[in-house]
Amino acid sequence: MKKFLVFLMGALFISACYADDDKPIQPNQLPEKAQQIINDNFPGDPVLYATRESEAFESTTYDVRLKSGTELDFDAAGDWLNIDTAPREVPDALVPQGVLSYVQDNYPDLSIVKIDRDRRDYEVELNNDMELVFDLSGKFLRLDY
């Protein structure tokens, strides 16, 4: 019986550690930097909902959806991780200059509708569904299929 209780308590502890903790929040509870990004780049497009996501062993992230359908993800500091404005264009001010210049020079008739940033690179989706990958300094690496 004692072994069973120890096993049960261990299983409960492990499941608690891996449980997602997604909580709806008010827009004013977003990090200040995230609020500024939204206000500066999406004026007149109110926040429809926002959530704070905390996962065991990972940092807190924030998911935001605007009334227009634009989706944004932010890290705990309020830096954007993902911006999806499809079918509309991602505001130029949010795109790193090297990425923006490459797309404007090589695909002048296309626009960026989605951009993701992680620890290694930027992934950009254009409005023709083409996906491009850039390093963190904005240098083009490859097409992503």
Side-chain angles (χ1 to χ4, degrees):
M1 182 69 166
K2 212 176 208 182
K3 287 182 182 179
F4 176 74
L5 286 175
V6 170
F7 171 78
L8 183 60
M9 290 187 61
L12 288 172
F13 175 77
I14 290 172
S15 66
C17 286
Y18 286 99
D20 289 342
D21 185 18
D22 299 350
K23 293 184 179 178
I25 61 170
Q26 295 298 315
N28 64 359
Q29 294 175 294
L30 290 166
E32 192 69 35
K33 190 171 186 179
Q35 292 180 52
Q36 195 66 46
I37 288 171
I38 293 168
N39 292 334
D40 290 350
N41 295 282
F42 303 97
D45 195 358
V47 173
L48 192 60
Y49 69 83
T51 60
R52 183 182 71 222
E53 297 184 359
S54 300
E55 296 184 28
F57 310 113
E58 292 186 27
S59 64
T60 299
T61 59
Y62 297 89
D63 293 338
V64 176
R65 185 172 185 119
L66 305 181
K67 186 175 182 182
S68 66
T70 292
E71 296 179 11
L72 304 111
D73 297 327
F74 298 96
D75 64 16
D79 293 312
W80 66 263
L81 299 170
N82 176 45
I83 303 169
D84 185 350
T85 58
R88 290 176 318 283
E89 187 174 341
V90 172
D92 289 350
L94 295 175
V95 180
Q97 189 56 49
V99 173
L100 185 61
S101 295
Y102 182 89
V103 171
Q104 290 174 339
D105 292 346
N106 293 282
Y107 305 99
D109 297 331
L110 300 176
S111 60
I112 298 170
V113 296
K114 184 175 182 181
I115 185 166
D116 294 307
R117 173 179 51 208
D118 61 24
R119 292 183 184 115
R120 298 175 313 245
D121 56 32
Y122 293 103
E123 293 182 17
V124 170
E125 184 178 321
L126 304 180
N127 61 334
N128 69 347
D129 293 327
M130 183 183 299
E131 295 182 11
L132 311 172
V133 180
F134 298 82
D135 69 15
L136 292 177
S137 66
K139 180 183 173 196
F140 176 74
L141 297 175
R142 68 182 181 280
L143 288 171
D144 196 16
Y145 300 99

